[in-house]
């Protein structure tokens, strides 16, 4: 078995054990526990892990291409989703105008933004290591974050049934501690820490990765219904197959560095982000479609991840 094949097997064991543990805990613990764990990871765990992983990440001028590629992926996903909506008459014949708009909003969101943090970070770290973590980080913060809470909120405000003020889209961005931790991490890259401090920081960082997978399982355990699986399958085909395949081949043609390209393809191939469900609930979009896309996408990732390793891994 190749080194990358071994890493993939270990990654599956980590993903499976973390998510299954979270699923079991989510069924027996109070419903408030996932929210509390999520707040801890959001405000403490993830920011500190970003600081730790940035210390060992390879930074170059080219890393700033990651947000541009992320926006290209978001735009391509939205364009393909709009094409499907335009040429799918079955949708219009079955829904009222309000329900149709809600359906379109959730379909667009599920086709655009992926879970590039809580799921993307562990997968990239497991297959690419800390050296290329910066590419995943800048893809997430410069692309997915603004794509979800910027463009995504604007779309939801336009198509949703609620009267939420779309001008508040910037609040989740400005209040996101991970953004601020990037500045801190970059400033501390050249600051020498005691060996015990370095080990402790990395231990906390990898503990955060494990807890992120547990949180994924907890949240999935709270999902009670899967409906609209056919349009969900279409949005997942766009988000997790077409976009990574097309842009991955494009990056290959332009001579992108192999490991960097691999990390970008992995981030493009992530299932829909939990932010899509949050936005769908806030703006009264099609919650059933958002839930089904998120759930099926997480399962589908386990099936198609080896394909991306075969097609785009550097070894």
């Amino acid at each position: 078995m190749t080194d990358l094949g071994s890493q993939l097997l270990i990654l599956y064991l980590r993903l499976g054990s973390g998510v299954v543990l979270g699923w079991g805990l989510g069924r027996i613990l109070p419903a408030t526990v996932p929210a509390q764990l999520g707040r801890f990871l959001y405000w403490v765990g993830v920011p500190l892990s970003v600081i730790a992983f940035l210390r060992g990440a390879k930074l170059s001028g080219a890393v700033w291409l990651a947000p541009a590629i992320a926006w290209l992926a978001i735009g391509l996903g939205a364009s393909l989703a709009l094409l499907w909506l335009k040429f799918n008459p079955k949708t219009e014949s079955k829904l009222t105008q309000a329900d149709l708009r809600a359906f379109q909003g959730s379909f667009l969101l599920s086709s655009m933004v992926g879970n590039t943090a809580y799921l993307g970070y562990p997968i990239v770290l497991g297959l690419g290591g800390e050296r290329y973590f910066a590419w995943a980080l800048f893809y997430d913060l410069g692309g997915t974050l603004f794509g979800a809470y910027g463009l995504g909120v604007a779309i939801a405000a336009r198509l949703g049934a609620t009267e939420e003020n779309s001008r508040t889209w910037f609040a989740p961005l400005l209040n996101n501690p991970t953004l601020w931790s990037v500045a801190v991490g970059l400033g501390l890259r050249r600051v020498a820490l005691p060996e015990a401090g370095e080990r402790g920081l990395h231990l906390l960082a990898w503990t955060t990765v494990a807890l992120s997978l547990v949180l994924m399982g907890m949240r999935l355990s709270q999902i009670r219904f899967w409906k609209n699986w056919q349009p969900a399958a279409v949005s997942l085909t766009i988000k997790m197959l077409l976009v990574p395949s097309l842009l991955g081949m494009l990056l290959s043609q332009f001579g992108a560095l192999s490991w960097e390209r691999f990390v970008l393809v992995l981030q493009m191939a992530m299932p829909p982000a939990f932010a899509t469900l949050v936005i769908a609930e806030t703006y009264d979009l099609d919650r059933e479609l958002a839930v089904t896309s998120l759930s099926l996408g997480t399962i589908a990732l386990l099936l198609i991840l080896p394909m991306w390793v075969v097609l785009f891994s550097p070894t």
Side-chain angles (χ1 to χ4, degrees):
M1 183 180 291
T2 64
D3 289 342
L4 202 56
S6 300
Q7 289 176 323
L8 184 62
L9 177 60
I10 294 172
L11 176 64
Y12 268 78
L13 293 175
R14 289 175 177 171
L15 289 175
S17 59
V19 173
V20 169
L21 175 61
W23 177 280
L25 292 175
R27 307 290 286 188
I28 61 177
L29 293 177
T32 57
V33 172
Q36 293 169 350
L37 177 58
R39 282 194 292 271
F40 168 76
L41 292 176
Y42 181 80
W43 290 106
V44 180
V46 173
L48 286 179
S49 68
V50 166
I51 293 173
F53 291 136
L54 271 179
R55 293 180 64 81
K58 175 185 176 183
L59 291 181
S60 64
V63 76
W64 298 103
L65 288 173
I69 300 300
W71 276 103
L72 188 59
I74 291 170
L76 179 58
S79 299
L80 293 175
L82 286 172
L83 280 175
W84 185 82
L85 290 171
K86 181 177 180 180
F87 295 105
N88 183 39
K90 293 181 180 179
T91 307
E92 298 184 5
S93 63
K94 294 181 179 180
L95 301 175
T96 65
Q97 188 62 32
D99 288 342
L100 175 61
R101 291 166 63 87
F103 170 84
Q104 291 172 336
S106 288
F107 187 85
L108 281 167
L109 290 176
S110 297
S111 304
M112 287 167 42
V113 290
N115 192 339
T116 52
Y118 288 115
L119 194 53
Y121 289 173
I123 288 177
V124 167
L125 287 166
L127 295 178
E130 295 182 29
R131 183 174 175 81
Y132 300 96
F133 174 72
W135 285 79
L137 175 66
F138 283 93
Y139 185 104
D140 175 55
L141 296 181
T144 302
L145 180 63
F146 286 88
Y149 291 106
L151 178 60
V153 166
I155 291 172
R158 181 175 178 82
L159 296 177
T162 65
E163 298 296 329
E164 295 285 344
N165 186 352
S166 61
R167 289 177 295 179
T168 61
W169 65 271
F170 55 84
L173 304 179
L174 295 179
N175 294 331
N176 192 313
T178 304
L179 280 177
W180 301 105
S181 71
V182 173
V184 176
L186 292 175
L188 292 178
R189 273 175 61 84
R190 298 187 181 277
V191 176
L193 295 178
E195 184 178 351
E198 195 75 53
R199 286 201 305 266
L201 188 59
H202 272 75
L203 177 60
L204 177 59
W206 283 106
T207 300
T208 295
V209 170
L211 289 177
S212 297
L213 296 175
V214 172
L215 179 60
M216 279 283 298
M218 285 183 169
R219 285 176 168 171
L220 289 173
S221 73
Q222 295 177 335
I223 294 175
R224 295 290 182 261
F225 54 87
W226 291 9
K227 298 181 180 179
N228 292 337
W229 65 268
Q230 290 177 317
V234 175
S235 72
L236 295 177
T237 299
I238 293 171
K239 173 69 186 66
M240 301 178 66
L241 288 176
L242 293 180
V243 170
S245 297
L246 293 173
L247 294 185
M249 289 187 290
L250 179 65
L251 290 172
S252 299
Q253 293 299 318
F254 281 87
L257 297 175
S258 57
W259 273 107
E260 289 81 350
R261 178 197 62 190
F262 183 46
V263 168
L264 293 175
V265 168
L266 289 176
Q267 287 292 71
M268 294 179 211
M270 288 301 106
F274 274 100
T276 61
L277 180 55
V278 173
I279 295 171
E281 291 177 335
T282 302
Y283 289 89
D284 200 17
L285 299 179
D286 191 330
R287 185 176 182 272
E288 293 181 359
L289 177 58
V291 167
T292 303
S293 298
L294 191 155
S295 306
L296 288 180
T298 303
I299 296 172
L301 177 66
L302 299 178
L303 301 177
I304 64 176
L305 188 56
M307 179 182 71
W308 302 124
V309 174
V310 172
L311 292 176
F312 293 105
S313 67
T315 57

